[in-house]
Amino acid sequence: MKTIYTISICSLLLSSILYAKPNILFISIDDLNDWVGFMDGHPQAKTPHMDRLAKRGRNFTNAHCSVPVCTSSRNSVMSGIGPMTHGSYEIGPKYEELPALADAPTIQRYFKDHGYFTLSGGKVLHHNFGGRLIDDIDKPLGRARTPRPKKPMTRPASWSTAWDWGTYPDSDPKMGDIQLAEAAAEALKEDYDKPFFMSVGFFRPHVPLLVPPKWFELYEKDKIVLPNNPKSDLDDLPKNFLSINDYAVAPTHAEVTGSGNQRSLTHAYLASVSFVDYCVGIVMDALEASPYADNTIIVLWSDHGFHLGEKQHWAKRTLWEESTRVPLLMTGPGIKPGKACKEPASLLDLYPTLVDLCNLPKNDRLEGISLLPQLKDPGKARKHPAITSSYFGNHSIRTRDWRMISYEDGSKELYDHRTDSDEFVNLAKDPKHQNVITRLAKWLPKKAVPEFKEKSERLRIRKK
Ligand SMILES: [Ca+2]
Ligand SMILES: [Ca+2]
């Protein structure tokens, strides 16, 4: 009798371990491009914590955002619904302002509705930086606010107040991102009677590039390698997007170089990247020391990339590699370490992938495609390219080997990533490559709702 009793207790325990849903730690980083060790985008970038994470699971080195600005990218990730359906192709409307998303549960809400305890803090959705819609989460982790200096640190007087940089504040504990990382670390010490879905949204390396002095001291300013951005690179481009900063607050490349600030800004970006890497490390260490170490899936992603002078451009919004490509890491139970995945992936794929990994019912509205096959085998080919859109009617189609950009006026760019990862040589007019253009053009969206403009117009800032 005792034996039978023990066996049934053991099998109960075993089944609860076997069938327990994994926890999710969903870490987003704002404006982080490929200047991280595990993507090799800058030879001097120091990101030991994220590199450690990359070695543990799957590193998607060809992952791209749906829209290369904060709001629309995040609305797409969190809804699993892309811009051609929700109509936000530029910075602007909040999730809850987009009629197409009115009944679309955020990924947090979906997991909460299916038995998860949800926690969220920092910049997850763009607005309010509280990381949530009102009823999305059970426990807020804070807003990651960092005080700004009363006077400008380094920026030229004519630049946007957002575009400042320098050694501020004087120590880590004053940084909102550190406070958020520590709040997440504390939350990982607690007991939960349900699996959790914890969203943690770090704000650096978004401008202003203000971090404490020790992060600047990691790099020797005079020895920092600057991106190779020959002016002649623009000679073979259609006119679209060449003046895109007229619509944004970022300085032009001429303003950056003319004011002698290119090296200094590049230094500040690298310092901010190393700083946010340290924040990720705080959360990783806390998870490793917790009871959840072996049953938590970590997803780390950035909402879009960032130019630092490439194609004479600063910041985001373009359809080139620097803007669209993002770090994307996934680790945890069921994801064996292995080679990096070079197949195209979209941030839209995160929602269906996590639904799959956690065995939740299918959400029929999701437009991405699960990455489960590539989590099992990084070499498994993907037919579907990564599609990025910026402003209505402009799209990039990125496959394993190619990028094609098609602008609203029909002009095109084509790059062969097997030989030209910098996208220097536009092959769109080369007769030998018309078959590639025809093949890739089949992926261009056939239906796209018009841009939802109600609020976005207000947020477009013309400098002159
Ligand atoms: Ca962003
Ligand atoms: Ca070129």
Side-chain angles (χ1 to χ4, degrees):
M1 190 65 189
K2 193 178 169 193
T3 314
I4 292 167
Y5 181 73
T6 312
I7 288 170
S8 56
I9 290 284
C10 282
S11 61
L12 258 180
L13 276 173
L14 190 65
S15 64
S16 71
I17 290 166
L18 282 177
Y19 298 110
K21 302 271 189 209
N23 306 296
I24 308 289
L25 179 53
F26 200 60
I27 302 175
S28 58
I29 301 179
D30 206 359
D31 290 22
L32 177 64
N33 65 11
D34 63 359
W35 289 17
V36 287
F38 60 95
M39 293 178 86
D40 212 16
H42 191 287
Q44 293 156 318
K46 292 176 184 165
T47 54
H49 301 286
M50 289 190 274
D51 294 351
R52 175 159 61 98
L53 189 63
K55 285 199 184 109
R56 278 206 232 144
R58 190 68 67 248
N59 175 8
F60 290 91
T61 57
N62 189 10
H64 302 269
C65 59
S66 299
V67 186
V69 285
C70 305
T71 347
S72 333
S73 172
R74 289 162 184 266
N75 286 345
S76 306
V77 173
M78 301 306 284
S79 65
I81 293 172
M84 266 70 80
T85 303
H86 65 56
S88 173
Y89 306 90
E90 180 14 16
I91 202 153
K94 298 177 189 177
Y95 193 110
E96 59 272 35
E97 288 168 346
L98 288 167
L101 300 186
D103 301 318
T106 63
I107 188 170
Q108 295 167 153
R109 178 81 226 182
Y110 197 72
F111 274 71
K112 184 176 169 175
D113 288 347
H114 290 91
Y116 274 70
F117 184 77
T118 49
L119 309 89
S120 182
K123 184 174 171 180
V124 179
L125 279 167
H126 179 66
H127 292 89
N128 303 323
F129 294 20
R132 63 196 179 107
L133 299 176
I134 289 161
D135 61 353
D136 263 2
I137 61 160
D138 301 302
K139 183 182 165 87
L141 295 172
R143 297 180 66 175
R145 280 273 163 101
T146 301
R148 292 192 188 177
K150 288 197 176 72
K151 289 182 186 166
M153 296 282 298
T154 325
R155 72 175 167 86
S158 61
W159 290 19
S160 153
T161 52
W163 273 81
D164 202 1
W165 66 101
T167 55
Y168 185 90
D170 57 5
S171 67
D172 280 350
K174 293 176 185 165
M175 294 294 291
D177 284 330
I178 293 279
Q179 292 158 17
L180 173 65
E182 285 174 352
E186 279 305 306
L188 286 165
K189 290 180 187 164
E190 292 176 23
D191 285 330
Y192 299 98
D193 54 9
K194 296 173 174 180
F196 62 76
F197 189 113
M198 183 187 291
S199 310
V200 181
F202 293 119
F203 188 62
R204 289 288 174 281
H206 193 291
V207 295
L209 300 169
L210 301 166
V211 287
K214 69 189 219 196
W215 303 105
F216 281 82
E217 288 159 14
L218 277 180
Y219 300 91
E220 273 187 76
K221 184 175 163 186
D222 294 337
K223 292 186 181 165
I224 288 174
V225 176
L226 300 177
N228 179 20
N229 49 13
K231 199 155 189 222
S232 59
D233 182 17
L234 302 191
D235 294 347
D236 58 359
L237 297 182
K239 293 232 175 331
N240 306 63
F241 281 61
L242 291 179
S243 57
I244 193 140
N245 276 348
D246 291 353
Y247 297 92
V249 296
T252 63
H253 190 55
E255 285 168 335
V256 172
T257 52
S259 59
N261 282 313
Q262 184 177 6
R263 181 167 294 277
S264 176
L265 264 170
T266 308
H267 186 193
Y269 188 80
L270 283 167
S272 300
V273 169
S274 290
F275 163 77
V276 82
D277 177 71
Y278 178 72
C279 295
V280 171
I282 291 173
V283 183
M284 282 173 62
D285 289 348
L287 180 68
E288 277 159 35
S290 80
Y292 312 110
D294 297 327
N295 194 27
T296 300
I297 292 164
I298 307 180
V299 184
L300 181 140
W301 56 282
S302 163
D303 57 353
H304 49 76
F306 202 79
H307 285 252
L308 289 101
E310 299 92 344
K311 289 202 164 38
Q312 315 290 303
H313 183 79
W314 285 76
K316 40 221 183 188
R317 290 183 164 81
T318 75
L319 289 168
W320 296 308
E321 188 84 338
E322 285 79 14
S323 268
T324 73
R325 187 169 176 238
V326 293
L328 173 59
L329 302 175
M330 296 187 78
T331 70
I335 305 169
K336 283 190 190 145
K339 285 185 179 165
C341 177
K342 296 176 183 170
E343 295 296 319
S346 166
L347 292 180
L348 264 190
D349 302 333
L350 294 184
Y351 197 149
T353 303
L354 288 175
V355 165
D356 250 10
L357 275 171
C358 299
N359 269 318
L360 302 193
K362 287 251 178 297
N363 173 346
D364 291 334
R365 292 196 59 188
L366 303 184
E367 296 178 354
I369 298 166
S370 172
L371 293 163
L372 213 56
Q374 287 70 35
L375 291 176
K376 288 181 182 148
D377 172 9
K380 177 83 179 163
R382 288 198 113 204
K383 192 178 157 207
H384 204 285
I387 301 175
T388 305
S389 307
S390 185
Y391 298 98
F392 180 79
N394 307 294
H395 309 287
S396 152
I397 308 293
R398 181 72 161 87
T399 64
R400 181 178 172 126
D401 297 333
W402 299 93
R403 176 190 300 281
M404 186 191 77
I405 302 174
S406 176
Y407 294 106
E408 197 184 3
D409 66 358
S411 57
K412 293 201 169 38
E413 294 172 40
L414 178 71
Y415 300 101
D416 184 347
H417 269 266
R418 294 169 299 184
T419 53
D420 182 21
S421 60
D422 290 311
E423 301 184 338
F424 282 149
V425 184
N426 178 10
L427 300 166
K429 288 188 176 159
D430 178 355
K432 287 203 298 281
H433 289 92
Q434 296 313 302
N435 59 339
V436 182
I437 297 220
T438 307
R439 177 160 54 86
L440 296 180
K442 288 184 182 149
W443 292 102
L444 288 171
K446 301 201 173 43
K447 278 189 197 162
V449 298
E451 181 158 15
F452 182 80
K453 284 186 173 173
E454 218 162 282
K455 298 279 163 101
S456 58
E457 284 297 313
R458 171 172 61 81
L459 288 164
R460 286 190 188 177
I461 300 159
R462 273 194 185 270
K463 286 196 297 184
K464 289 159 195 152

